[in-house]
Amino acid sequence: MNRRSLLQICQRYAFYFCLWLGSLLLCLILTNGVIYGQERTFELRNRASGTYNAPGANVNASSELNRINGDRLIDPLGQILDCGGQEFADYTGFTVSVYENAGNGELGALVALTPTNLPGGLPPEGIAPNLLNNNPYALTNAAVSGRRGVYNFLLDVTKGQTTPGRSYILVVNAPVSLGLIQRRVLLRIDQVNNDVLSYIATSLDGRPIGVDGVFTINGSVLVKNAANIPLSLVALQLNAAMCEQKELQVIKTGDRAAAEPGDVAIYRLAMRNLTKSAVRNPVVSDILPLGFNYVPNSARATIAGNPVGVVVTANGSSISFALQAPIPAASDSAFLVYAVSITPDAVRGSGRNAATLSAIRNDNNATVRDGPSIFTMRIRPGIISDCGTLIGRVFVDKNFDGEQQNGEPGVPNAVIFMDDGNRIVTDANGVYSMANVIPGVRSVALDISSLPGYTLAPNLYFIERNSQSRLVRLSPGSLSRANFGVTPAFRGVEQKP
């Protein structure tokens, strides 16, 4: 045996001796359970590997220690439940993802979780059900600890993923065929104490969050022990507000597309319950446009073809209609009708009506809403647009010019007759007015008998005004004026024969 062969044999045995010595020391640690005088208990997984090559090549050896659920990886386990806190019948197509928080509820990048799969086909070191620590993770129907629809993500302490103050956004997606909306929940690391992760879960979509069957709305849930108390998210509630495109639906229509002042219009609201739970205390809140007035005692409601009571509360243009019966699950047979009168003020308004529907679910007591449902009724001025306004004054004409100057007072209680028989009385200042007068050539006359002690004043400048009547031309939508001047009447003294 030459010298080179002897050297190779020595190198080979020295390498295996080092591996044996390292394994022996590790076994001693496991046997005694003592590290630097302090006793600790933890799950330890050891993997060693080695390679040997011929002289002139590299000699590599490695030994890896991986502690799961110790001070390296933390496991928040959660479950996806339906609206009533029950498991779904099928979790196929559900996915759960963890994103970085970009601020203001916006999604950042997917969190780079530490892979737990091992090379060479060895069993992965992750924790069921997400053994490979995938992100996103596809839910399965397999049960873990007797629960289905569970998920988990392992956060790496060495990457700072459990540093207090770090926040993530948990996103849950459902199959498109279920018609469920995406769920987003903000997870903020609160503290890590004795390998126990505490975090705060806050709804970003205004929907309930459930922890161990407790439901809240627009609230935050503090999970004090993430290792023992899983975050049970009511993330996708079948036929529920937080996951459906709509839970309730309200559609508002009218009996006409256009109306005129003086008309009475009928509004009709069709209400649907899209959930699998009955909803109670349904209330329709309506905001009437300018010039629309609710007709008292006109509201009528039916549910499933049966008449139900309606309690109407009016506050200005805001009106609420409280139906006195629940709407059954998956029902589209609730209707409400009522009447409104349209006044001339509606010409100045938009004719736009908005209605909303709210109710309370029976299964989880959550408030659900829909709306506003908009219906716009075009307002035509009608006869009002063709009418004009007639104004005038009866006054004491002292200089007989037919016009009122300073010092020429108005005469109250004078009676003016129009050619259609309308009778107008002047006010304390001698002024009269008549709105909505049909246009055209119209005539008005002063009833001089209504003014004892006065007579018609002569006009020294316009002969045609020396009459008790005036002829006016009133154009559509215009304003015309007709004044009358009077003067005190004096009787002569009779001479005796």
Side-chain angles (χ1 to χ4, degrees):
M1 179 180 297
N2 56 29
R3 186 174 181 179
R4 181 169 180 169
S5 299
L6 182 62
L7 179 62
Q8 290 178 352
I9 294 174
C10 291
Q11 289 176 341
R12 180 182 304 172
Y13 282 103
F15 171 74
Y16 287 115
F17 175 77
C18 291
L19 289 180
W20 173 82
L21 181 60
S23 300
L24 179 62
L25 292 175
L26 185 60
C27 290
L28 289 175
I29 293 174
L30 289 174
T31 302
N32 297 331
V34 178
I35 300 178
Y36 295 107
Q38 296 182 358
E39 184 174 353
R40 296 190 60 186
T41 301
F42 49 81
E43 180 183 355
L44 185 65
R45 294 189 183 183
N46 177 265
R47 183 173 72 250
S49 62
T51 59
Y52 175 79
N53 294 324
N58 295 326
V59 177
N60 300 319
S62 65
S63 179
E64 182 184 35
L65 181 66
N66 185 15
R67 283 183 287 162
I68 304 294
N69 282 341
D71 59 0
R72 180 171 180 270
L73 296 177
I74 302 297
D75 175 26
L77 183 66
Q79 185 178 22
I80 307 303
L81 302 173
D82 65 12
C83 186
Q86 303 299 320
E87 295 179 359
F88 284 100
D90 186 9
Y91 283 97
T92 303
F94 286 79
T95 61
V96 185
S97 311
V98 180
Y99 288 83
E100 300 286 354
N101 179 20
N104 297 324
E106 298 295 329
L107 299 180
L110 281 169
V111 177
L113 300 180
T114 301
T116 56
N117 55 313
L118 298 179
L122 297 176
E125 292 183 335
I127 300 176
N130 191 4
L131 293 174
L132 300 179
N133 207 21
N134 291 329
N135 187 22
Y137 172 68
L139 297 183
T140 67
N141 289 315
V144 177
S145 300
R147 296 190 301 159
R148 297 169 54 252
V150 296
Y151 65 91
N152 62 312
F153 299 102
L154 301 178
L155 304 178
D156 197 334
V157 175
T158 63
K159 293 182 179 181
Q161 292 177 347
T162 59
T163 302
R166 285 289 297 271
S167 60
Y168 310 97
I169 297 179
L170 187 71
V171 178
V172 185
N173 290 305
V176 177
S177 59
L178 295 182
L180 309 178
I181 63 173
Q182 184 185 77
R183 187 69 210 274
R184 293 189 182 189
V185 176
L186 177 67
L187 299 177
R188 181 175 65 84
I189 305 299
D190 184 44
Q191 61 179 348
V192 180
N193 186 16
N194 295 327
D195 294 336
V196 175
L197 176 70
S198 297
Y199 55 90
I200 297 175
T202 305
S203 172
L204 295 179
D205 47 28
R207 302 300 186 181
I209 298 178
V211 178
D212 289 341
V214 178
F215 295 86
T216 61
I217 298 177
N218 294 327
S220 299
V221 179
L222 177 64
V223 182
K224 297 181 179 180
N225 190 333
N228 300 323
I229 303 177
L231 177 63
S232 298
L233 290 175
V234 188
L236 290 175
Q237 300 174 348
L238 184 61
N239 291 326
M242 63 192 314
C243 52
E244 296 170 341
Q245 297 297 334
K246 283 187 177 181
E247 291 173 294
L248 299 179
Q249 186 180 41
V250 55
I251 301 175
K252 184 164 191 175
T253 57
D255 66 341
R256 63 195 68 195
E260 300 177 358
D263 289 346
V264 174
I266 304 297
Y267 281 127
R268 182 177 186 269
L269 293 97
M271 295 161 283
R272 300 180 62 192
N273 178 8
L274 303 177
T275 72
K276 290 187 176 180
S277 169
V279 294
R280 66 182 185 273
N281 300 337
V283 177
V284 174
S285 299
D286 212 341
I287 300 178
L288 297 179
L290 179 65
F292 283 55
N293 295 329
Y294 168 70
V295 177
N297 302 320
S298 64
R300 299 290 185 272
T302 61
I303 297 179
N306 300 316
V308 298
V310 181
V311 176
V312 182
T313 303
N315 183 14
S317 61
S318 299
I319 303 178
S320 65
F321 303 88
L323 279 64
Q324 303 300 294
I327 302 178
S331 172
D332 58 357
S333 58
F335 301 97
L336 170 68
V337 296
Y338 66 94
V340 293
S341 61
I342 302 173
T343 68
D345 286 339
V347 177
R348 299 184 290 111
S350 64
R352 183 176 182 269
N353 181 273
T356 60
L357 172 64
S358 64
I360 300 176
R361 292 181 61 111
N362 281 350
D363 54 0
N364 63 357
N365 294 323
T367 300
V368 292
R369 297 180 177 86
D370 184 50
S373 179
I374 307 297
F375 182 80
T376 301
M377 190 175 296
R378 185 167 57 89
I379 303 301
R380 297 181 304 200
I383 190 174
I384 294 179
S385 64
D386 296 329
C387 293
T389 302
L390 181 64
I391 64 174
R393 187 188 296 268
V394 179
F395 64 96
V396 177
D397 191 0
K398 295 181 179 181
N399 58 359
F400 307 118
D401 64 352
E403 301 295 336
Q404 186 182 27
Q405 284 90 27
N406 291 334
E408 296 181 339
V411 180
N413 300 321
V415 177
I416 307 295
F417 283 101
M418 296 189 62
D419 54 10
D420 57 5
N422 281 322
R423 179 177 179 269
I424 317 168
V425 180
T426 60
D427 62 11
N429 297 316
V431 176
Y432 72 92
S433 65
M434 174 66 74
N436 302 327
V437 180
I438 297 176
V441 179
R442 307 301 302 272
S443 63
V444 292
L446 172 64
D447 181 8
I448 198 65
S449 65
S450 64
L451 298 174
Y454 288 93
T455 186
L456 188 66
N459 194 306
L460 302 180
Y461 301 94
F462 299 95
I463 298 176
E464 67 273 10
R465 295 185 184 177
N466 291 312
S467 173
Q468 293 180 226
S469 63
R470 298 284 187 270
L471 191 66
V472 295
R473 296 183 181 274
L474 192 61
S475 301
S478 67
L479 178 70
S480 296
R481 182 174 61 177
N483 291 341
F484 295 90
V486 297
T487 186
F490 298 96
R491 287 189 177 182
V493 179
E494 279 189 16
Q495 295 184 0
K496 294 182 180 180

